[in-house]
Amino acid sequence: MFKLFSLSKIFGTTKKDKTIQALRESEAKYRALVEHSLISVYVIQDGLFRYVNQQYCNLVGYSYDEIVDKMGPSVFTYNEDNNIVEENIRKRISGEVTSIEYELRIVRRDGQILYVKVIGDSTIFNNRPAITGSLIDLTDKKQAEIILKEKNEAYIEINKALELAKVKAEESEERLRLIFENAPIGILHFNNKGEIITCNDKFVEIIGSSKQALIGLNMLTLPDTKLVTTLQ
């Protein structure tokens, strides 16, 4: 005797099998994509990494077997940024937020400090709440910003020093002018042609002339030969 099978059962099972197969293929494609991604990807649950891709391992300098189920984010987080990381993990686990973006510093195995941007989400891993995220390395950008900031600060300091030097020079020039103008003796300045370019009031008083008449006077043309010889 032949057994009768329900067509709906047969076709229903076939449809279910195809759905499961499609999900498996989709998962395999996603895993392959994540594994070969140039962005670091991770999953954290119960304070430990449950998954990291190869790029994450390259970033921190540890192998997959050293990290997964053995290490938590605090191992790599720069000490001063630990509170930020813990708080942002708490927010995602509690459901306060479902996604988040922030920047922090991490420390590689060799001690090098890296600047990274975290793009994180909440997820379900093995039927329990977890968090997933990716890290984008910002180190080169941050170092360039630091260098630019240092150059700007140096430029500002140089400008301050130049302004101070200018003020001091002006103050010094003013003191010399006052000394020149109020000296008890006659003082004059002349150029290499022997022409008077300036003189103080005492000199004008001694000569018995005016400043206007003396400025521009060529002393090499004066009849006093001793003075001419001295000037030459």
Side-chain angles (χ1 to χ4, degrees), residues 127-175:
N127 298 318
R128 294 178 51 239
I131 62 169
T132 183
S134 57
L135 301 184
I136 301 174
D137 191 353
L138 302 178
T139 305
D140 290 343
K141 177 185 175 183
K142 287 293 183 180
Q143 288 177 343
E145 289 175 355
I146 290 170
I147 292 172
L148 180 60
K149 181 181 178 183
E150 289 175 348
K151 287 183 177 180
N152 286 338
E153 289 174 350
Y155 177 76
I156 291 171
E157 289 301 317
I158 290 171
N159 277 343
K160 286 181 180 178
L162 290 174
E163 285 296 323
L164 181 60
K166 181 181 177 182
V167 170
K168 288 185 176 180
E170 290 173 350
E171 290 174 349
S172 178
E173 183 179 347
E174 180 62 14
R175 284 196 297 269

Side-chain angles (χ1 to χ4, degrees), residues 201-213:
D201 292 340
K202 191 65 177 179
F203 183 81
V204 173
E205 180 185 332
I206 293 170
I207 297 300
S209 182
S210 67
K211 186 172 288 189
Q212 289 79 4

Side-chain angles (χ1 to χ4, degrees), residues 10 26 28 55 62 64-65 89 105 185:
I10 293 172
S26 177
Q55 185 60 27
Y62 289 84
Y64 180 93
D65 290 336
I89 289 175
R105 292 162 290 182
I185 58 174

